[in-house]
């Protein structure tokens, strides 16, 4: 018997013993615990459990006819009070939504009630407790596909620990070989950059498409040349190249460094050139709808804690079934096989998503993805996008207006300086002292922490965007690589960098105009007309 079917596609119709797991949003229906008709194991978003839309019991706050201020939505102001009140109760200003979303109170309490109100076992079995878990896992797969408008006949959902885990699945199993290519944008998270090691091992060529201009956007002509296997000028490429060879294009829908949104139209263009496309959507989907019924990347990776804060440790690889069939896993493990022999040393992988879910999936937390999608769907992704865009405009306006007494700017922004469709709510910057020099990022993180502000400093695991932002030429980077460096400080000196990175301010669902005002006031009061010293700062351990 193939026990993996209890939580794969074949688990869709599994019924909990003695009860039915009701649709997560079915108001008033009781999801009975397995075999216990008197025990309510409410599904995560069930209105009978009162995990209401946006945490509001019994009603929805309508969007105000007008805005109380730039980027302010009265509905989101109420949401802040209900779901994220712990921020203001603790005097905390949270500006690191690209690092992690914040958990709404209602999702956390509903999760605890579900787990403690039912019996859920390892899904690799046919017991009542296992079937209960299998039902919820199948439900979560359907919820993910529905959220992205993905046809179940075209797409499969594989649950992973995070977006990085999803990328590793593709990297280790993709058929990289001599004559093939891995094309990446210079603007990529390190977890995408790491794919080049798999490509090199397989003998494929690797090529980076540069970013340029004040907005640090990808050069579309360079992209076209890279996809064709020819380049107009020498660039950062490695390995043997064969003109016309095809392979994999990997790029982010939105930069986690600058907030730039790269065109989704490139997906079809690359596929026309014979490429599979891997879309890193981790920074994009928390505040923007992604329609996989319109755009059809072969592989899409997300981390759910970035979208709605809870649960952590769950991501997804959303893969076209045709592309999934190309992958060849280098190993097998518990749960991934249909049948196996130890003595004869053969195995047969499962035919569905289970073939890529190593060991036992996080079956207690994956149902929280269903609840989170129901929660954010109740808000409306278009509303979320408008909310974050309005706040981003307010932030950018304030940063551009920040000046020292002599009129010199206090801020240098990396990426687009205007809010709009071409950028998200992630803003990278450096603060400038009164003498025009960059304020050490360690000073900024120290001072902002003292003011109860959470933001991010460094290179944000995106070295390519950082190299472009600081205009580092490949020649200088190659020269530094040949030197024996004993510390990050020595490396910065070799590259003649004034800082180990930038300051990143990122906005999300829980953000309010007062958060931006708090940050701008902090910047002005702390650094205007000042040249802060770096004395007493600890040495940098890394970027």
């Amino acid at each position: 018997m193939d026990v993996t079917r209890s939580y794969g596609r074949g688990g869709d119709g599994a019924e909990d013993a003695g009860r039915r797991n009701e649709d997560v949003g079915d108001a008033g229906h009781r999801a009975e615990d397995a075999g216990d008709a008197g025990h309510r194991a409410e599904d995560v978003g069930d209105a009978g459990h009162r995990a209401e839309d946006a945490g509001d019991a019994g009603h929805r706050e309508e969007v105000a006819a007008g805005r109380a201020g730039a980027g302010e939505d009265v509905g989101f102001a109420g949401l802040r009070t209900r779901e994220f009140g712990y921020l203001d109760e603790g005097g905390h200003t949270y500006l690191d939504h690209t690092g992690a979303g914040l958990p709404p109170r209602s999702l956390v309490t509903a999760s605890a009630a579900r787990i403690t109100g039912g019996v859920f076992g390892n899904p690799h079995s046919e017991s009542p407790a296992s079937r209960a878990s299998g039902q919820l896992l199948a439900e979560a797969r359907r919820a993910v596909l529905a959220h992205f408008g993905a046809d179940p006949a075209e797409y499969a959902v594989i649950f992973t620990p995070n977006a990085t885990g999803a990328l590793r699945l593709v990297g280790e199993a993709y058929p990289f070989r001599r004559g093939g290519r891995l094309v990446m944008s210079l603007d990529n998270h390190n977890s995408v950059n790491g794919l080049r090691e798999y490509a090199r091992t397989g003998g494929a060529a690797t090529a980076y498409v540069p970013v340029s201009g004040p907005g640090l956007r990808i050069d579309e002509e360079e992209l076209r040349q890279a996809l064709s296997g020819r380049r107009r000028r020498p660039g950062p490429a490695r390995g043997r190249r064969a003109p016309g060879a095809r392979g994999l294009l990997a790029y982010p829908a939105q930069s986690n460094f600058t907030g730039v949104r790269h065109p989704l139209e490139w997906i079809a263009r690359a596929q026309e050139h014979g490429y599979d496309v891997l879309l890193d959507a981790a920074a994009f989907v928390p505040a923007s709808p992604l329609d996989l019924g319109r755009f059809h990347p072969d592989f899409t990776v997300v981390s759910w804690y970035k979208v709605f804060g809870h649960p952590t440790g769950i991501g997804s690889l959303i893969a076209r079934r045709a592309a999934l069939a190309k992958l060849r896993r280098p190993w097998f493990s518990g749960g991934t096989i249909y049948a196996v022999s130890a003595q004869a040393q053969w195995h047969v992988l499962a035919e569905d998503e289970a073939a890529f879910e190593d060991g036992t999936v996080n079956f207690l937390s994956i149902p929280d993805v269903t609840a989170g999608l129901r929660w954010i769907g109740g808000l409306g992704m278009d509303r979320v996008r408008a909310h974050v865009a309005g706040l981003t405009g307010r932030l950018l306006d304030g940063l551009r207006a920040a000046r020292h007494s002599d009129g010199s700017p206090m801020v240098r922004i990396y990426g687009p300086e205007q809010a709009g469709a071409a950028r998200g709510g992630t803003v990278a910057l450096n603060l400038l002292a009164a003498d025009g020099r960059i304020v050490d990022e360690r000073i900024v993180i120290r001072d902002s922490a003292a003011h109860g502000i959470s933001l991010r400093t460094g290179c944000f695991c995106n070295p390519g965007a950082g190299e472009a932002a600081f205009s580092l030429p490949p020649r200088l980077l190659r020269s530094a690589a040949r030197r024996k460096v004993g510390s990050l400080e020595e490396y910065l000196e070799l590259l003649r960098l004034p800082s180990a990175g930038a300051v990143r301010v990122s906005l999300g669902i829980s953000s309010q105009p007062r958060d931006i005002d708090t940050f701008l006031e902090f910047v002005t009061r702390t650094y205007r007309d000042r040249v802060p010293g770096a004395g007493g700062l600890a040495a940098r351990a890394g970027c």
Side-chain angles (χ1 to χ4, degrees):
M1 177 181 294
D2 177 14
V3 296
T4 65
R5 295 304 187 270
S6 67
Y7 72 99
R9 293 165 61 196
D12 289 1
E15 290 190 356
D16 198 10
R19 70 167 178 96
R20 296 177 185 271
N21 279 317
E22 304 293 346
D23 179 15
V24 291
D26 186 6
H29 280 67
R30 299 182 180 180
E32 306 290 339
D33 183 23
D36 183 2
H39 190 133
R40 297 186 181 183
E42 304 290 344
D43 199 1
V44 187
D46 191 348
H49 186 79
R50 299 300 186 259
E52 292 79 14
D53 173 26
D56 191 354
H59 80 281
R60 296 173 185 261
E61 282 197 71
E62 299 297 333
V63 182
R67 294 186 182 275
E72 186 168 4
D73 183 320
V74 173
F76 282 92
L79 183 72
R80 167 73 165 251
T81 301
R82 294 189 306 275
E83 295 282 34
F84 307 102
Y86 52 82
L87 286 172
D88 300 315
E89 292 159 13
H92 203 111
T93 301
Y94 187 78
L95 298 171
D96 189 23
H97 285 83
T98 300
L102 293 179
R105 280 173 164 161
S106 66
L107 290 185
V108 177
T109 56
S111 174
R114 172 180 55 79
I115 292 171
T116 59
V119 180
F120 305 100
N122 190 315
H124 296 165
S125 183
E126 295 293 333
S127 71
S130 296
R131 284 181 175 271
S133 295
Q135 172 76 6
L136 293 180
L137 290 171
E139 210 168 308
R141 295 190 208 280
R142 292 194 298 268
V144 171
L145 292 175
H147 181 74
F148 293 121
D151 182 352
E154 180 181 7
Y155 282 97
V157 176
I158 296 158
F159 287 111
T160 63
N162 41 43
T164 296
L167 289 162
R168 179 185 59 79
L169 282 178
V170 177
E172 69 179 11
Y174 191 81
F176 291 117
R177 56 182 175 269
R178 231 176 129 150
R181 293 172 61 75
L182 170 64
V183 177
M184 297 171 287
S185 62
L186 193 63
D187 181 4
N188 255 323
H189 191 279
N190 261 341
S191 295
V192 179
N193 288 326
L195 295 175
R196 71 191 187 201
E197 302 308 311
Y198 289 113
R200 289 171 177 171
T201 299
T206 61
Y208 277 105
V209 181
V211 296
S212 59
L216 297 180
R217 300 189 181 283
I218 295 174
D219 187 315
E220 294 205 31
E221 176 58 23
E222 288 278 1
L223 174 64
R224 188 184 67 79
Q225 295 289 340
L227 293 175
S228 69
R230 300 181 297 273
R231 297 184 63 82
R232 292 183 299 173
R233 61 177 184 269
R238 296 288 184 273
R240 296 179 179 271
R241 296 185 304 213
R246 300 297 179 257
L248 182 68
L249 168 66
Y251 78 99
Q254 178 177 312
S255 172
N256 75 311
F257 191 110
T258 63
V260 169
R261 287 179 176 163
H262 301 299
L264 298 177
E265 288 77 12
W266 292 348
I267 297 168
R269 187 177 310 173
Q271 289 167 339
E272 289 169 0
H273 279 78
Y275 282 80
D276 296 314
V277 178
L278 188 157
L279 185 71
D280 177 5
F284 181 83
V285 297
S288 296
L290 176 62
D291 185 357
L292 296 183
R294 177 184 175 191
F295 302 102
H296 299 267
D298 298 278
F299 307 101
T300 302
V301 301
V302 299
S303 278
W304 293 114
Y305 76 96
K306 292 180 182 289
V307 181
F308 31 73
H310 177 81
T312 57
I314 303 290
S316 288
L317 170 63
I318 307 156
R320 297 178 78 181
R321 296 187 185 278
L324 209 56
K326 298 180 183 180
L327 303 186
R328 295 292 179 266
R329 300 213 65 189
W331 78 314
F332 66 91
S333 63
T336 66
I337 48 86
Y338 178 81
V340 63
S341 170
Q343 295 185 85
Q345 298 192 36
W346 57 264
H347 71 278
V348 179
L349 283 174
E351 296 175 352
D352 56 15
E353 297 90 335
F356 295 89
E357 292 176 338
D358 300 325
T360 302
V361 296
N362 191 345
F363 61 89
L364 288 181
S365 292
I366 287 174
D368 293 327
V369 174
T370 309
L373 290 172
R374 178 84 41 160
W375 181 85
I376 201 168
L379 294 177
M381 286 307 304
D382 287 335
R383 277 187 65 201
V384 172
R385 175 172 54 186
H387 172 68
V388 173
L391 292 172
T392 305
R394 185 187 187 106
L395 173 62
L396 291 168
D397 288 346
L399 292 173
R400 289 194 304 271
R403 301 274 167 175
H404 293 288
S405 294
D406 62 2
S408 61
M410 293 184 63
V411 180
R412 178 181 300 161
I413 299 171
Y414 304 107
E417 295 193 16
Q418 302 291 334
R423 68 133 49 249
T426 302
V427 179
L429 58 101
N430 275 126
L431 299 178
L432 304 177
D435 61 2
R437 291 185 296 177
I438 288 177
V439 177
D440 191 304
E441 83 285 350
R442 293 171 296 175
I443 294 175
V444 179
I445 198 69
R446 179 198 66 194
D447 295 346
S448 60
H451 284 76
I453 299 172
S454 286
L455 43 76
R456 179 79 178 270
T457 60
C459 59
F460 322 128
C461 298
N462 190 330
E467 290 164 9
F470 289 102
S471 302
L472 293 177
R475 173 189 52 78
L476 183 60
L477 291 165
R478 287 192 290 268
S479 174
R482 292 192 292 267
R483 300 283 295 275
K484 185 176 181 179
V485 179
S487 68
L488 178 60
E489 304 300 326
E490 292 181 34
Y491 187 68
L492 296 178
E493 290 179 12
L494 284 173
L495 296 177
R496 299 189 287 277
L497 282 171
S499 173
V503 175
R504 188 179 72 188
V505 175
S506 52
L507 307 169
I509 292 175
S510 68
S511 301
Q512 283 292 294
R514 61 183 178 273
D515 299 325
I516 295 166
D517 297 343
T518 296
F519 174 70
L520 294 173
E521 183 180 359
F522 155 73
V523 168
T524 301
R525 286 191 175 185
T526 308
Y527 303 111
R528 190 168 189 257
D529 297 333
R530 289 189 57 206
V531 182
L537 295 175
R540 298 176 178 92
C543 179

